Amino acid sequence: MLLLLARLRYLLGAPEAGLGLRFIAFRPARFIAAASGIAMAVLVMFVEWGLMSAILRSQAGLASLIDGDLVLMNSARDSLHEWTRIAPVRISQAAAVPGIAYAAPVFQSGMLLRNPPDLAVHRIVAFGISPEAPPLKFADPAVVRRVLARPDAVLFDKLSRNIYGPVGIGHRIELDGRPFEIAGTARVGPDIVMDGSVVMSDGAWRAREPDAWPVMGVLRVVPKGDLAKIRTHLRAALPDDVSVITVKELWWREVFFTFRAAPIGIIFGVGVAAGALIGGIVCYQILFNEVMDLRRELSTLRAMGFGARFFRRLILEQTYLLTAMGFLAGFAAAFATYRFLAATTGLAMVLDWRSALAVAIPAAMMGHLGGIFALRHLSGFAAADVY
Amino acid sequence: MPHPCTQTMTSVAVTVRGVSYAYGEGAARKTVLDEVDLTLRRGEFAVLTGHSGAGKTTLLTLIGAIRSLQQGQINVLGFNLAGRGAIAQEQVRRQIGFIFQDHNLFSALSAFRTLWLTSGLSPSPPSRQEALSRATALLEALGMGSYLHSMPGQLSTGQKQRIAVARALMNTPQLILGDEPTAALDHDASMLVISLIRQHLTTNGASALIVTHDDRIFPMADRVLYLRDGRLVNAA
């Protein structure tokens, strides 16, 4: 540690310390233009990364709303957006397994929402859950209990996209031709497939479809129950047409499915790479111009005996400074852009340290590579070039 | 193998033996130096002159380890330059104070910052304060005491050239190689520069080889060498 501090003190006190900064600051207009170019590349990376994260998060959003330990699903079901159903008896069978304290079905289907004021019809996702012990955290359980106690009442997802016309508490709508009243709000959130949601009671669901099969069962184990052991018992007790997975596994499964099958990963990964490439080229171009403009001065230093290490430090200090300034400007621009995208798409655009790190790494790489390529030109200068 | 910086304290600073140098290839090949021999003693102030294209700068750059030798031997401050690689040449160059024809100062660096940066080439770099004292003394000796923190853009060509002279002397080199160092200077400034170089030689036992057409300098030199058709002639 002391050695490191001594080294740091030497570096900061050395005559070449801050030389890159002086070169950059000497021509502020050029510096601003350069930082803006890099900021634009950083913004592209932030937007690509942010959209990918938001899509993955929203596609797996339902998994994070599950209020339970284990989920029972049709073993042929690949993702939460396939509503492959399970026989209701599987829920009862699971409830009978020792260690299971709670088992509740979740009904889900697409419905047509008709809004009487403008008679517009839009597809919406409908959930049917038990109001007494909700398996999904759509809203405060007391609100769910109170609202869904009425068979003609629904909770409307207040994060739904603004396509359903005027909706609010007390407003009457039609779902698949049956009248309902919006008696409360829920928080589900749209994704790239669905624009909005309504939640009704499982009783209301069965009233419209008496033989309905649920899309999943949410299970809770007894307090201090051994989750792995209970899961093994469940697998032994249930036939192969259902799978038993933890909520965490479900979330990751959904993320990977969307990442791979959509193929979100490739689409946005290419976007991030393109941003990094643009940034790298901008960095290189700026430093290349700097090196060419200062060719005689740099050759003079070489003729005086300054070595490769000095030049590497000079160029890389500039590239890191430019990248850092570009990153900060890009981060600020991304903050505003994320807010705009979140408001217009309804996707959960989150600018947190993970996003910052995910963009900072390729940004640092692009800056470093831009600097290295510029250095290659500099290494082509001979001391005799001073003449 | 001795370290390139290892100096053998002899009475000779530079020896040049049988050095030839040519530019170009094949039919376009042009010899600019032909079997040149030269000895520069410690403390000696030699001026090298001759017609344009006579090979003066080429010889200077060969002695300064800026160019690689093609033929012959050069020993600078106890180090044989023949067959040495780029890193070894770099080490030798650090021992030499160069004054180039063009000042080539960085626009972004003040006079002091330029001199302080140069001090980083010293085997034992001075502290900022020591560098400041040294830079102040040098610039005052060159009539530039009040320009310590001036940027090149604020200086005339002659003033910039004097900063370049101070840069060459910053690390108290044992050898000074100058290429037309007074070309951009008026008479008074030229005399100041040459006087400072002479004083440096006297104080430090260093040597100087100055390429110039400026005959005002000739009387101040210990020896004037004339380069004609690639061969060296002792003029005085």
Side-chain angles (χ1 to χ4, degrees):
Chain A
M1 190 56 150
L2 283 173
L3 276 173
L4 266 176
L5 283 173
R7 176 76 184 150
L8 188 65
R9 194 176 163 198
Y10 165 74
L11 286 174
L12 292 176
E16 65 268 32
L19 214 54
L21 178 62
R22 279 171 191 273
F23 280 24
I24 283 174
F26 187 69
R27 282 179 281 194
R30 189 170 179 171
F31 166 59
I32 289 167
S36 304
I38 294 166
M40 191 53 70
V42 167
L43 177 62
V44 168
M45 285 192 276
F46 263 120
V47 169
E48 296 288 340
W49 177 268
L51 283 172
M52 182 177 78
S53 305
I55 289 170
L56 293 176
R57 204 178 294 120
S58 62
Q59 292 298 97
L62 189 61
S64 54
L65 292 175
I66 292 170
D67 190 7
D69 304 306
L70 293 165
V71 179
L72 214 56
M73 289 195 342
N74 190 307
S75 48
R77 190 176 179 187
D78 280 333
S79 86
L80 285 172
H81 292 80
E82 290 173 20
W83 296 325
T84 320
R85 298 169 196 285
I86 57 174
V89 69
R90 300 287 176 252
I91 310 266
S92 311
Q93 288 170 329
V97 171
I100 296 296
Y102 164 97
V106 173
F107 298 94
Q108 189 181 7
S109 178
M111 289 188 186
L112 292 176
L113 182 148
R114 185 163 176 248
N115 201 344
D118 58 8
L119 298 177
V121 175
H122 291 283
R123 192 171 166 79
I124 196 164
V125 174
F127 291 93
I129 59 168
S130 159
E132 295 307 318
L136 293 158
K137 293 175 276 191
F138 287 136
D140 185 315
V143 173
V144 175
R145 215 168 8 251
R146 177 174 53 76
V147 169
L148 300 189
R150 287 172 49 198
D152 65 337
V154 293
L155 295 161
F156 186 82
D157 176 16
K158 63 182 176 184
L159 301 177
S160 298
R161 292 199 178 95
N162 190 24
I163 61 168
Y164 296 105
V167 284
I169 293 175
H171 195 83
R172 298 202 69 83
I173 54 170
E174 285 179 16
L175 290 168
D176 280 354
R178 293 180 61 203
F180 283 91
E181 181 188 327
I182 297 172
T185 56
R187 287 182 67 89
V188 184
D191 58 29
I192 54 170
V193 178
M194 59 186 200
D195 297 313
S197 316
V198 287
V199 183
M200 62 180 68
S201 70
D202 52 354
W205 195 283
R206 287 200 181 95
R208 70 177 261 285
E209 189 184 352
D211 298 325
W213 281 23
V215 293
M216 72 168 85
V218 174
L219 312 177
R220 290 179 204 151
V221 301
V222 293
K224 295 183 182 172
D226 185 336
L227 191 65
K229 207 170 182 177
I230 295 167
R231 187 182 181 185
T232 309
H233 289 154
L234 277 165
R235 279 180 170 155
L238 295 168
D240 288 346
D241 60 354
V242 286
S243 56
V244 183
I245 57 175
T246 65
V247 172
K248 199 172 177 181
E249 283 170 355
L250 177 64
W251 193 89
W252 279 110
R253 201 178 82 156
E254 194 64 17
V255 165
F256 282 124
F257 177 83
T258 312
F259 190 83
R260 198 181 57 247
I264 298 292
I266 290 177
I267 293 167
F268 290 99
V270 167
V272 171
L277 188 67
I278 293 166
I281 290 169
V282 170
C283 250
Y284 163 72
Q285 195 62 44
I286 294 156
L287 293 167
F288 172 75
N289 288 341
E290 175 91 358
V291 163
M292 294 314 282
D293 287 354
L294 297 175
R295 186 184 178 103
R296 288 188 67 80
E297 288 85 345
L298 293 168
S299 295
T300 300
L301 292 187
R302 179 151 281 171
M304 287 164 62
F306 283 93
R309 205 164 78 171
F310 169 83
F311 292 110
R312 192 165 52 241
R313 184 173 169 184
L314 179 67
I315 297 297
L316 291 183
E317 186 179 320
Q318 290 184 71
T319 190
Y320 294 152
L321 282 167
L322 283 170
T323 307
M325 294 309 294
F327 180 81
L328 289 176
F331 185 83
F335 186 75
T337 310
Y338 271 39
R339 286 178 74 107
F340 168 76
L341 286 172
T344 51
T345 65
L347 292 173
M349 302 287 291
V350 180
L351 193 59
D352 56 6
W353 68 269
R354 286 186 193 85
S355 323
L357 192 67
V359 175
I361 291 169
M365 284 168 63
M366 79 182 185
H368 185 74
L369 285 176
I372 293 290
F373 278 106
L375 257 177
R376 284 167 64 91
H377 284 278
L378 183 58
S379 63
F381 293 2
D385 288 348
V386 72
Y387 290 101
Chain B
M1 188 181 77
H3 187 272
C5 297
T6 306
Q7 293 178 21
T8 313
M9 290 304 289
T10 66
S11 60
V12 176
V14 176
T15 53
V16 178
R17 293 289 173 262
V19 167
S20 297
Y21 198 89
Y23 291 102
E25 296 287 332
R29 188 172 174 85
K30 183 173 183 283
T31 300
V32 290
L33 294 176
D34 184 14
E35 296 287 330
V36 172
D37 291 327
L38 167 69
T39 300
L40 188 66
R41 296 185 304 278
R42 285 196 180 270
E44 188 178 19
F45 180 26
V47 163
L48 178 62
T49 190
H51 294 299
S52 292
K56 304 183 296 294
T57 299
T58 302
L59 180 58
L60 199 74
T61 53
L62 288 169
I63 294 171
I66 288 174
R67 268 179 228 286
S68 296
L69 278 166
Q70 290 176 347
Q71 188 185 318
Q73 299 278 327
I74 294 182
N75 191 298
V76 176
L77 301 172
F79 181 64
N80 185 3
L81 295 184
R84 298 300 179 194
I87 301 290
Q89 288 181 345
E90 193 177 285
Q91 295 293 328
V92 174
R93 290 203 295 270
R94 290 178 171 213
Q95 313 295 306
I96 300 169
F98 289 98
I99 308 169
F100 302 102
Q101 193 165 359
D102 294 322
H103 53 78
N104 293 337
L105 299 177
F106 284 101
S107 308
L109 301 184
S110 69
F112 167 63
R113 195 78 202 193
T114 297
L115 299 185
W116 189 27
L117 179 66
T118 307
S119 73
L121 288 173
S122 168
S124 50
S127 67
R128 190 181 191 281
Q129 200 52 44
E130 288 164 341
L132 186 64
S133 302
R134 171 82 177 141
T136 305
L138 278 171
L139 291 182
E140 278 176 357
L142 287 162
M144 295 279 293
S146 56
Y147 296 96
L148 187 67
H149 297 293
S150 297
M151 305 299 279
Q154 300 168 312
L155 302 174
S156 68
T157 306
Q159 287 172 324
K160 288 179 207 170
Q161 186 62 8
R162 277 186 273 171
I163 303 289
V165 171
R167 179 175 64 186
L169 298 176
M170 187 65 187
N171 292 335
T172 322
Q174 286 300 296
L175 176 64
I176 296 167
L177 298 176
D179 190 5
E180 302 282 8
T182 58
L185 303 179
D186 60 23
H187 178 266
D188 290 347
S190 296
M191 291 307 109
L192 263 179
V193 165
I194 299 303
S195 298
L196 185 65
I197 292 174
R198 283 236 64 138
Q199 187 189 332
H200 174 79
L201 304 192
T202 308
T203 311
N204 301 293
S207 314
L209 178 63
I210 305 294
V211 167
T212 186
H213 289 105
D214 187 352
D215 54 13
R216 296 170 302 180
I217 299 175
F218 293 177
M220 302 175 78
D222 297 322
R223 190 156 49 126
V224 177
L225 304 159
Y226 195 83
L227 199 58
R228 183 191 296 152
D229 300 329
R231 287 181 173 272
L232 212 49
V233 180
N234 254 6

